[in-house]
Amino acid sequence: MTIDIRKVTVLGTGVLGSQIAFQTAFSGFDVTAYDISDEALAGAKDRFTTLAATYRAEVAGAGDGKAERTESAITLSSDLAQAVRDADLVIEAVPEVLSIKRETYEKLAEAAPERTIFASNSSTLLPSDMKDFTGRPDRFLALHFANRVWQFNTAEVMGTADTDPAVYRAVVDFATDIGMVPIELHREKAGYVLNSLLVPFLNSGIALAAGGYAEPEAVDKTWRIATGAPMGPFQILDIIGLTTPYNILANGGENEQQLAKWLKDNYIDKGNLGVATGEGFYHY
């Protein structure tokens, strides 16, 4: 069975959702970006404009107007049924909260054609946690991107026991077609490969600062100098944006919830969410 993916809808136009939509459109696919309100889509439009400028500066082949053409080619929609009615693939990038994922998939299952493949960009949830909400567990799997997709271009592909192998292969091929390096997982693993390594590292950094052991800048400096890495945990957190790490921690155990409270009280409640808002642990 040949599965042809040409029309892609991205649900959620936050930091990573916008990047996925832009990279997919840049690679020649027909892309619709969906969000829940016109206000949210106005923010997405600004992100796409910023991405066009970033691609011009950093991505080979983005000159001669291609970045601008990519921006203008993305269809924006706050009507879910309209956004997915012709989709071959829907990539879900909504907040990392299971109840929100469930509500999204239950609506999506009714609105999308039977042939449409659903892929979740969930950072930590297992696809088996969500498959029963999709109405098509055989056409559902996880496709996880790293932030700054044009630079850190991995796409982790993880199915469930119900995922059709042909669907899995089609999504692996799609990831290659949009310039990603597919990372195939053979079994479900919370956090995939990347976040199984990254999340404990970031949480350790937060614990050092929240516990009063060292300032975020000192933690980052220690890591950079001692390992030669280009960034420390708090620099990475600012790029990711603090909302997703907060949601992950808030749904964890007691220790994680204390770290979530520290993030909320000291940064999120003050509107300091990272690079996207101009200030997080650092000022931009």
Side-chain angles (χ1 to χ4, degrees):
M1 177 178 65
T2 300
I3 298 174
D4 188 27
I5 297 175
R6 294 311 309 166
K7 295 185 177 182
V8 180
T9 298
V10 179
L11 303 187
T13 59
V15 172
L16 198 48
S18 294
Q19 291 179 21
I20 296 167
F22 198 94
Q23 178 69 24
T24 303
F26 184 77
S27 302
F29 288 78
D30 182 342
V31 175
T32 297
Y34 165 85
D35 219 313
I36 58 174
S37 68
D38 291 338
E39 181 182 6
L41 291 177
K45 196 171 188 307
D46 290 341
R47 279 187 282 278
F48 290 141
T49 298
T50 300
L51 283 166
T54 301
Y55 272 56
R56 275 199 315 275
E58 299 184 18
V59 178
D64 297 326
K66 183 175 180 180
E68 289 74 20
R69 289 193 298 274
T70 297
E71 179 186 356
S72 63
I74 298 171
T75 300
L76 300 175
S77 177
S78 58
D79 181 331
L80 181 64
Q82 183 276 330
V84 304
R85 65 186 178 190
D86 294 321
D88 301 311
L89 171 66
V90 173
I91 301 173
E92 168 268 307
V94 304
E96 194 76 341
V97 178
L98 186 58
S99 60
I100 297 176
K101 304 275 193 192
R102 177 172 188 160
E103 181 181 359
T104 299
Y105 279 114
E106 288 176 344
K107 292 178 180 177
L108 182 59
E110 293 187 2
E114 290 184 10
R115 63 179 171 79
T116 306
I117 296 168
F118 296 167
S120 178
N121 183 57
S122 173
S123 299
T124 55
L125 295 170
L126 294 173
S128 59
D129 294 336
M130 299 173 276
K131 67 178 183 180
D132 292 338
F133 312 148
T134 67
R136 61 194 74 195
D138 61 322
R139 302 182 75 77
F140 172 69
L141 74 175
L143 177 62
H144 180 250
F145 295 81
N147 196 30
R148 292 180 64 87
V149 301
W150 64 93
Q151 180 182 11
F152 303 122
N153 52 358
T154 58
E156 297 175 283
V157 185
M158 182 167 68
T160 73
D162 293 322
T163 304
D164 185 330
V167 168
Y168 188 97
R169 295 314 314 167
V171 172
V172 169
D173 291 343
F174 166 76
T176 301
D177 289 342
I178 62 168
M180 300 295 103
V181 178
I183 308 298
E184 299 184 37
L185 277 87
H186 306 300
R187 298 171 55 197
E188 284 190 277
K189 173 72 173 71
Y192 312 80
V193 175
L194 176 60
N195 282 324
S196 292
L197 298 168
L198 181 61
V199 170
F201 168 66
L202 297 179
N203 289 353
S204 294
I206 294 171
L208 286 169
Y213 299 104
E215 294 295 324
E217 294 88 345
V219 175
D220 284 351
K221 185 185 297 183
T222 301
W223 185 255
R224 291 196 310 269
I225 293 173
T227 67
M231 292 184 290
F234 293 100
Q235 291 168 289
I236 295 171
L237 284 162
D238 271 357
I239 292 173
I240 293 170
L242 272 58
T243 302
T244 294
Y246 169 78
N247 286 333
I248 294 171
L249 288 166
N251 286 282
E254 183 177 348
N255 290 338
E256 287 81 7
Q257 290 174 17
Q258 287 299 313
L259 298 181
K261 184 177 186 304
W262 179 81
L263 276 181
K264 184 175 186 295
D265 292 347
N266 291 281
Y267 298 92
I268 293 173
D269 284 351
K270 297 176 182 178
N272 299 337
L273 305 182
V275 173
T277 59
E279 188 162 353
F281 296 104
Y282 297 88
H283 182 75
Y284 300 91

